[in-house]
């Protein structure tokens, strides 16, 4: 044998990812429990069917399951475990100290018989959890370039949702709304998976689900895959976010947490709200915002009804147009409970979390237009724009696993999240479209929900060379309901008073709903093989993604028929009261547009073949090809025309998506990685649909483009990574991406308002460098041994090529991709003091300016300027075993100023204030 290679950084750390229910042993309820997993030292694949037994007591034995995991019941004491498996060298784990009442972790890696490498292993005792060290160990053996966040790191952060968690990942930034930008690329170049299944979006104007919908307490770990392998969906370029919900405990657990938060710009200050339903606080509309039952559901009402019927229609709408401010707004609240246990062959885990958070935002908005002499001028300006938002979030997880035999397992996973926003918005200022000063008030309720349910099975077939068959079927459904948006716009009179303006957006009641569904069957078969110094895994599989969407909207306006009979200066509830809804007063009409209803479907059939080869002790090659056959159809139909023929936007492509990843082990702790893969970016349903929505009077309306094409991306990556042991790491990465037909957002001036739409640029490139550093400072000074520093820095450069025919339309001839920040930096400093039972973390995050909207016809691009965020968290364990703790966090300590500029003119700005949270958590067992 050659010189021993120390892989102690891999040892037992992977067990943190390996805790699933046992398949049962006699006497398992008594004594101590040793849990762990066995992995292939070359590629991290689980070693299935390995015998694990106590040395000198072979009767105390078990075998690893389909995930390489095992559970061994023993009397309390210290043991040496022996592990044996076909085609692998025998190994052992020494000095495993089994104590009563607490599972002990003992995992290892095994070297193949043909390897010239021996593996030195070290056991690690402690409660099994997804520690940072475990995630680094998995990252070292991963086939792709990736970044990971463990459950431990998630708990230590200030983050309350998955979006905020990801801000700490190398090369990742999160924009307002919870959308992830990886390596400076917008959310269209990212994809999100939950428990190995794609997720539908809850937003009609976004292609991916906002990650602030997922409470951090329900997430076990998050991985961001930055290179592609054929067994993954081929539609991403920046990164693929993989979230795993809370997994099965190794012992009975039940933990309760509660916290409250105070915001410097919201809590105990004056706050605008409005009367709603009885369950608004919990995020559920009780039906009081629904379209009145008297309104015809099967046809528009315009001109075909009598005056009396129109009057009855108008009076059937609730008279609730005004906000009612309160003098002091309450703090935010969060409650979480989680528990689970293993019962013989069955494991159960569940978690439930609820939060309600108010946020008051005071901002300024401007909208520019062309002056005619080449210099943009301000068309519309709202210096006093206030949004009062109450957000409620409810999330739950319920998972179960059944170990039929050591070689057969079934897992059932369920996740439900609900998120609602109750907004009262008022603004005033000069509107260039109406050439007057206006006041506007909007009341809005948005309710989102996402449900994902999956069943999966793993079956090891020893007679077929210990091959593994894995199958999974997932159903995911997302909904978005926006019932009864109300808006009233008033214009300033000569005496300074404000009177009702009969504009398209004034006296409006708007209803819309969306339902997105994904059916995703998948199956794959993998067979390990051993041939001297060459070993590996051959894998083939299929994944189908069948997605459908239904979207509808209805618009109603209260039109003044005889102005002289109405007091247009009256408050809105009086102005639209029952006495003023009459034939010679206000009449309600439906103004639903022909593009306000569409349905869509996308069918993607994907098949792949790939191989994972270990070529001796240093080289590893992962390569293969995926074929994706995709069909996207969007049908828009005018509900006002009986028997109308829908307008269809169709997109059909068959693409071969090759991939190759090469890994060279410089030393047992250092890897060189190289990767190439071709991926895609398809236009979303909303981008193909001509549906139009105006968010702010005088601002941007958004409309789709049925002529969009899918974009293709060639991705090149390289990384050097050095795992220094424990949680220490140093890594340098380089990436280059070549885009063909990238989809971009543009601004087009129109009469009065500004229109955003989508088009394909000719080509683009994106390249950059990432640096990552994790270090304990004890090597510098013994007094600094209590401090760890995690930092990462990303610099990105990109350029878009404007296609022929659009160079006269688009203002900028040379510019970066939309959403691409040149610099992204994170610094995390951690202090831990076990004697004081204390742990603290300080975060700094900085993101440089980026384009949010591309200007056209002389109108400049809009940039979001640099952002800086500072957070702090401190946790104190009241009892030594950590079962009762208190936690304090401070977010956005710098009170970041969110700013957008256009041609050097401030276009929009606001601040969210500083948020301070204090809470406690308690484990019953």
């Amino acid at each position: 044998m050659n010189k021993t290679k120390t892989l102690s950084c891999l040892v037992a750390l992977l067990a943190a990812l390996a805790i699933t229910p046992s398949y049962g042993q006699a006497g398992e309820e008594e004594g101590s429990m040793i849990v762990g997993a066995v992995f292939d030292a070359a590629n991290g694949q689980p070693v299935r069917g390995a015998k694990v037994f106590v040395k000198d007591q072979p009767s105390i034995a078990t075998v690893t399951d389909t995930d390489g995991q095992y559970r061994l019941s023993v009397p309390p004491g210290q043991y040496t475990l022996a592990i044996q498996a076909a085609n692998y060298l025998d190994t052992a784990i020494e000095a495993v100290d089994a104590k009563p009442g607490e599972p002990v972790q003992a995992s290892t890696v095994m070297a193949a018989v043909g390897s010239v490498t021996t593996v030195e292993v070290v056991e690690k005792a402690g409660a099994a959890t997804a520690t940072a060290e475990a995630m680094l160990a998995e990252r070292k053996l991963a086939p792709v370039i990736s970044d990971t966040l463990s459950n431990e790191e998630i708990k230590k952060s200030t983050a309350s949702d998955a979006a905020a968690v990801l801000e700490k990942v190398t090369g990742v930034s999160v924009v307002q709304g919870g959308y992830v930008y990886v390596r400076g690329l917008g959310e269209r170049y990212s994809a999100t998976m939950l428990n190995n299944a794609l997720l539908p979006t809850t937003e009609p104007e976004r292609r991916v689900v906002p990650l602030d919908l997922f409470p951090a307490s329900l997430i076990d770990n998050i991985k961001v895959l930055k290179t592609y392998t054929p067994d993954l969906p081929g539609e991403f370029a920046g990164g693929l976010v993989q979230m795993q919900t809370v997994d099965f405990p190794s012992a009975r657990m039940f933990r309760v947490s509660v916290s409250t938060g105070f915001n410097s710009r919201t809590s105990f200050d004056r706050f605008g709200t409005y009367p709603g339903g009885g369950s608004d606080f919990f995020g559920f509309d009780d039906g009081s915002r629904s379209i009145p039952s008297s309104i015809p559901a099967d046809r528009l009402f315009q001109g075909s009804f009598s005056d009396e019927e129109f009057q009855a229609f108008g009076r059937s709408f609730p008279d609730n147009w005004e906000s009612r401010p309160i003098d002091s707004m309450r703090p935010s609240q969060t409650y979480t409970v989680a528990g689970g246990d293993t019962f013989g062959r069955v494991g159960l885990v569940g978690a439930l979390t609820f939060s309600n958070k108010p946020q008051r935002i005071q901002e300024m908005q401007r909208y520019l237009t062309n002056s005619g002499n080449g210099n943009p001028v301000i068309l519309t300006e709202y210096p006093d724009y206030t949004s009062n938002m109450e957000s409620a979030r409810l999330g739950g997880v319920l998972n179960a696993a059944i170990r039929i035999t050591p070689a057969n397992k079934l897992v059932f996973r369920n996740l439900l999240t609900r998120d609602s926003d109750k907004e009262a918005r008022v603004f005033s200022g000069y509107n260039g479209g109406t050439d007057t000063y206006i006041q506007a008030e909007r009341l809005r309720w948005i309710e989102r929900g996402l449900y994902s349910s999956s069943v999966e099975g793993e079956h090891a077939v020893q007679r077929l060379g210990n091959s593994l068959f894995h199958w999974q079927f997932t159903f995911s459904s997302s909904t978005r309901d926006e019932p009864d948006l109300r808006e009233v716009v008033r214009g300033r009179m000569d005496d300074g008073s404000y009177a009702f303006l009969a504009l398209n957006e004034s006296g409006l009641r708007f209803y819309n709903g969306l339902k997105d569904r994904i059916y995703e069957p998948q199956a794959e078969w993998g067979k390990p093989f051993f041939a001297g110094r060459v070993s590996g895994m051959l894998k083939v599989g299929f994944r189908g993604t069948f997605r459908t969407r239904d979207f509808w909207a209805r618009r109603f306006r209260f039109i003044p028929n005889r102005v002289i009979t109405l007091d247009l200066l009256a408050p809105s509830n009086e102005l639209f009261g029952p006495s003023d809804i009459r034939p010679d007063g206000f009449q309600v009409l439906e103004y639903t547009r022909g593009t306000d209803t569409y349905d869509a479907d996308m069918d993607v059939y994907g098949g792949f073949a790939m191989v994972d080869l270990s070529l001796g002790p240093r080289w590893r090659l992962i390569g293969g090809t995926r074929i994706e056959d995709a069909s996207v159809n969007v049908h828009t139909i005018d509900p006002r025309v009986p028997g109308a023929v829908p307008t269809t936007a169709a997109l059909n492509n068959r693409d071969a998506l090759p991939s190759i990843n090469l890994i060279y082990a410089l030393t047992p702790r250092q890897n060189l990685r190289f990767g190439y893969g071709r991926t895609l970016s398809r236009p979303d349903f909303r981008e193909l649909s001509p549906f139009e929505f105006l968010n702010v009077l005088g601002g941007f309306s958004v409309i789709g483009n049925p002529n969009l094409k899918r974009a293709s991306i060639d991705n090149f990556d390289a990384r050097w990574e050095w795992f220094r042991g424990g949680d220490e790491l140093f890594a340098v990465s380089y990436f280059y991406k070549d885009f063909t037909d990238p989809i971009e957002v543009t601004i087009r001036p129109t009469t009065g308002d500004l229109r955003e739409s989508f088009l394909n640029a000719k080509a683009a490139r994106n390249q950059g460098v990432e640096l990552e550093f994790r270090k304990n400072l004890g090597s510098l000074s013994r007094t600094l041994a209590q401090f760890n520093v995690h930092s990462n820095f990303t610099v990105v450069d990109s350029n878009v090529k404007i296609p022929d025919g659009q160079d006269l339309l688009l203002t900028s001839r040379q510019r970066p991709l939309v959403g691409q920040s040149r610099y992204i930096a994170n610094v995390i400093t951690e202090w831990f003091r076990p004697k004081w039972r204390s742990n603290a973390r300080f975060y700094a995050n900085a993101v440089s300016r980026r384009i949010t909207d591309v200007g056209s016809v002389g109108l400049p691009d809009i940039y979001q300027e640099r952002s800086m965020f500072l957070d702090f968290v401190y946790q104190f364990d009241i009892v030594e075993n950590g079962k009762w703790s208190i936690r304090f966090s401070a977010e956005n300590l710098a009170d970041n100023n969110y700013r957008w500029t256009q041609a050097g003119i401030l276009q929009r700005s606001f601040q969210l204030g500083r948020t301070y949270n204090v809470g406690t958590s308690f484990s019953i067992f």
Side-chain angles (χ1 to χ4, degrees), residues 432-753:
T434 60
D435 191 26
T436 186
Y437 285 89
I438 67 167
Q439 282 184 347
E441 181 173 23
R442 172 184 287 186
L443 307 182
R444 193 177 192 184
W445 172 273
I446 301 176
E447 191 171 331
R448 309 172 190 88
L450 190 147
Y451 171 69
S452 178
S453 180
S454 69
V455 56
E456 62 180 289
E458 288 187 348
H459 311 279
V461 185
Q462 189 172 6
R463 289 176 296 178
L464 296 178
N466 203 22
S467 59
L468 180 70
F469 178 65
H470 174 269
W471 58 270
Q472 181 173 334
F473 179 80
T474 304
F475 169 71
S476 300
S477 174
S478 65
T479 58
R480 182 186 187 276
D481 293 312
E482 185 175 5
D484 203 11
L485 180 152
R486 288 145 278 166
E487 185 159 20
V488 178
V489 182
R490 298 172 179 269
R492 192 171 71 182
M493 309 296 288
D494 292 339
D495 61 358
S497 60
Y498 285 85
F500 173 80
L501 286 178
L503 303 175
N504 289 338
E505 298 78 19
S506 188
L508 173 71
R509 301 192 90 121
F510 179 62
Y511 302 78
N512 70 88
L514 173 145
K515 188 170 185 178
D516 230 26
R517 298 165 296 276
I518 291 182
Y519 303 86
E520 193 168 22
Q522 53 182 298
E524 62 182 44
W525 173 79
K527 182 183 182 303
F529 57 87
F530 304 86
R533 297 181 62 184
V534 177
S535 63
M537 173 77 72
L538 174 66
K539 188 189 294 186
V540 295
F542 164 83
R543 181 193 294 258
T545 303
F546 309 112
R547 180 180 173 192
T548 62
R549 173 183 292 182
D550 297 307
F551 178 84
W552 64 271
R554 296 187 74 176
R555 307 168 193 256
F556 303 94
R557 279 185 56 204
F558 285 73
I559 309 295
N561 286 332
R562 294 186 64 193
V563 175
I564 60 174
T565 68
L566 299 168
D567 180 8
L568 300 183
L569 296 174
S572 296
N573 283 350
E574 179 182 336
L575 181 64
F576 298 106
S579 61
D580 278 350
I581 299 176
R582 58 183 190 272
D584 63 343
F586 276 105
Q587 184 180 48
V588 64
L589 294 177
E590 184 165 2
Y591 277 77
T592 299
R593 303 173 184 175
T595 59
D596 281 351
T597 299
Y598 71 87
D599 61 82
D601 60 79
M602 178 181 70
D603 295 336
V604 179
Y605 297 86
F608 72 91
M610 61 178 291
V611 64
D612 187 340
L613 289 174
S614 297
L615 306 173
R618 292 183 180 270
W619 290 97
R620 182 181 174 193
L621 175 69
I622 306 98
T625 299
R626 182 183 189 86
I627 305 294
E628 285 197 351
D629 197 337
S631 172
V632 183
N633 298 281
V634 179
H635 310 279
T636 305
I637 188 168
D638 190 342
R640 297 172 297 184
V641 180
V645 177
T647 300
T648 300
L651 190 68
N652 296 281
N653 296 104
R654 175 174 292 169
D655 296 281
L657 306 175
S659 166
I660 185 169
N661 285 269
L662 186 64
I663 305 171
Y664 177 70
L666 286 169
T667 72
R669 295 177 182 267
Q670 297 184 52
N671 285 334
L672 272 179
R673 293 178 179 267
F674 304 93
Y676 164 76
R678 171 166 291 182
T679 57
L680 304 171
S681 176
R682 299 183 181 96
D684 192 46
F685 298 145
R686 173 63 186 85
E687 296 166 351
L688 292 168
S689 169
F691 170 79
E692 185 172 1
F693 177 71
L694 182 65
N695 187 48
V696 179
L697 181 64
F700 299 133
S701 63
V702 182
I703 190 168
N705 177 6
N707 299 315
L708 290 174
K709 299 181 290 185
R710 65 103 175 89
S712 61
I713 307 104
D714 289 307
N715 307 271
F716 303 87
D717 291 85
R719 172 179 282 184
W720 169 66
E721 53 192 8
W722 181 15
F723 299 87
R724 297 169 53 87
D727 190 26
E728 294 194 358
L729 166 72
F730 188 77
V732 181
S733 305
Y734 170 77
F735 59 89
Y736 180 90
K737 300 180 183 294
D738 188 16
F739 297 78
T740 302
D741 300 322
I743 301 170
E744 296 283 279
V745 181
T746 64
I747 314 168
R748 301 184 183 184
T750 60
T751 304
D753 296 319

Side-chain angles (χ1 to χ4, degrees), residues 732-805:
V732 181
S733 305
Y734 170 77
F735 59 89
Y736 180 90
K737 300 180 183 294
D738 188 16
F739 297 78
T740 302
D741 300 322
I743 301 170
E744 296 283 279
V745 181
T746 64
I747 314 168
R748 301 184 183 184
T750 60
T751 304
D753 296 319
L754 304 169
R755 175 174 291 177
E756 285 185 334
S757 190
F758 311 90
L759 56 79
N760 288 105
K762 183 176 182 180
R765 62 164 178 80
N766 176 269
Q767 64 178 332
V769 174
E770 296 174 330
L771 304 176
E772 185 176 5
F773 176 79
R774 300 188 185 189
K775 175 68 176 174
N776 178 270
L777 301 184
S779 59
L780 303 178
S781 170
R782 293 183 61 182
T783 59
L784 298 178
Q786 301 168 12
F787 292 90
N788 289 326
V789 174
H790 299 180
S791 64
N792 57 72
F793 177 74
T794 303
V795 56
V796 186
D797 177 67
S798 70
N799 185 56
V800 175
K801 294 181 181 179
I802 306 303
D804 297 336

Side-chain angles (χ1 to χ4, degrees), residues 269-347:
D269 286 342
R270 190 174 177 83
F271 192 88
T273 186
Y274 63 90
S279 55
D280 282 6
F281 178 84
F282 298 100
F284 293 86
D285 174 50
D286 61 3
S288 60
R289 297 179 175 87
S290 301
I291 298 176
S293 58
S294 62
I295 303 297
D298 56 347
R299 59 191 175 118
L300 306 183
F301 60 94
Q302 289 180 335
S304 58
F305 299 92
S306 65
D307 289 344
E308 290 76 14
E309 287 176 307
F310 275 118
Q311 178 175 290
F313 290 150
R315 292 182 177 180
S316 67
F317 287 91
D319 189 16
N320 53 0
W321 296 85
E322 299 177 34
S323 62
R324 295 181 182 176
I326 56 178
D327 292 331
S328 180
M329 190 55 187
R330 54 174 171 77
S332 63
Q333 304 171 49
T334 302
Y335 307 91
T336 301
V337 58
D341 200 356
T342 300
F343 309 92
R345 297 175 184 266
V346 179

